[in-house]
Amino acid sequence: MKIIIGTEGQQPFKISGNAVSRQHAEVEIIGEGDHAVWTLRDLDSTNGTFVRDDNGMMVPVGKKSITPMTFISLGPDNSKGCSFYARQLLNPGSFTEEYEFINEKEDEYEEKLEAIDKKARIIKWVIFAINIVIVVFSIAIENQMSLWILRSGTILSTFFAAIYDANGSKKRLKKKYERFHHCPNPGCSHKLTSAEIRNMRCQKCKR
């Protein structure tokens, strides 16, 4: 089975984005069910065909093996293009599997966020323990060297705090996982909030 996708394509949903060519891309499906082999091919479109990788980045493709849960973008990933999960070509209008997938990504995000917080707490206590040891040691020595010991403690504390930037890690993690927040409805370009993902419903298109 071959499905031509575009503004004049054979896909089971309407595409009207002005960045999408009349015959933009083609998906070939060989076999049935879980054993089917899916292949996406760009048809020399004006604005290109993209798929989302494991990091949420949209990467251009000429020809690529895909799965039903591959996220495809015809043209730019915005209101001028059209984005959808490949399975919509065979099962249009039902977005349960897509929302389940996005919810799994939200679970991953929350787990990694908690890991960052846990590591930050451990480093905080390590810094605290180092400072306590240094202060006690400097008091025990009771000479001019104690000043240098205290200074070295400040340097160590600053070093440990610098090598692990928890807030920076959180920002990078959030940016990565927000790339998966695209509404699964091909006719909607809305970026889902976490609440919409958990409720499995886009408040813009009501799907």
Side-chain angles (χ1 to χ4, degrees):
M1 175 193 300
K2 290 185 179 180
I3 304 172
I4 302 296
I5 312 168
T7 57
E8 296 181 3
Q10 303 162 330
Q11 75 282 341
F13 47 84
K14 184 179 179 180
I15 296 177
S16 57
N18 57 20
V20 181
S21 301
R22 288 179 295 177
Q23 294 190 345
H24 196 107
E26 174 190 85
V27 170
E28 182 178 19
I29 306 171
I30 300 175
E32 297 181 356
D34 295 337
H35 300 290
V37 176
W38 294 54
T39 304
L40 170 67
R41 182 166 65 94
D42 181 74
L43 297 178
D44 296 323
S45 62
T46 302
N47 293 295
T49 301
F50 303 79
V51 297
R52 188 165 59 197
D53 65 13
D54 292 339
N55 291 314
M57 301 296 291
M58 301 304 296
V59 294
V61 298
K63 182 178 180 181
K64 181 177 178 61
S65 295
I66 61 172
T67 72
M69 291 306 296
T70 295
F71 188 75
I72 301 170
S73 180
L74 308 179
D77 185 23
N78 56 32
S79 60
K80 294 182 179 180
C82 181
S83 302
F84 56 92
Y85 289 85
R87 66 178 296 275
Q88 286 297 313
L89 297 171
L90 295 184
N91 189 19
S94 173
F95 305 111
T96 302
E97 289 186 39
E98 285 89 337
Y99 274 113
E100 288 175 350
F101 170 76
I102 301 171
N103 266 286
E104 288 176 1
K105 289 296 179 181
E106 281 295 282
D107 291 340
E108 285 181 18
Y109 169 67
E110 290 179 0
E111 288 174 3
K112 291 182 179 181
L113 200 63
E114 175 57 32
I116 290 173
D117 285 334
K118 183 178 180 180
K119 190 172 183 179
R121 289 193 296 270
I122 291 173
I123 290 176
K124 181 180 178 180
W125 280 108
V126 168
I127 291 173
F128 177 76
I130 289 173
N131 284 330
I132 290 295
V133 170
I134 288 173
V135 169
V136 171
F137 190 56
S138 64
I139 292 173
I141 292 178
E142 292 185 348
N143 58 33
Q144 193 167 354
M145 185 178 291
S146 64
L147 178 61
W148 291 101
I149 293 173
L150 289 172
R151 286 174 178 173
S152 67
T154 301
I155 293 171
L156 280 173
S157 298
T158 303
F159 173 75
F160 276 109
I163 62 173
Y164 189 68
D165 179 12
N167 288 331
S169 297
K170 287 181 180 180
K171 288 179 180 178
R172 289 189 292 271
L173 189 67
K174 182 179 180 181
K175 184 176 181 180
K176 173 184 175 180
Y177 279 90
E178 281 182 341
R179 296 177 186 139
F180 295 90
H181 284 200
H182 198 293
C183 175
N185 182 2
C188 181
S189 60
H190 179 59
K191 290 290 186 178
L192 301 169
T193 65
S194 294
E196 289 172 316
I197 292 170
R198 293 310 191 190
N199 292 329
M200 300 179 72
R201 184 176 176 83
C202 171
Q203 292 302 310
K204 182 178 179 181
C205 67
K206 308 302 180 184
R207 302 296 296 272

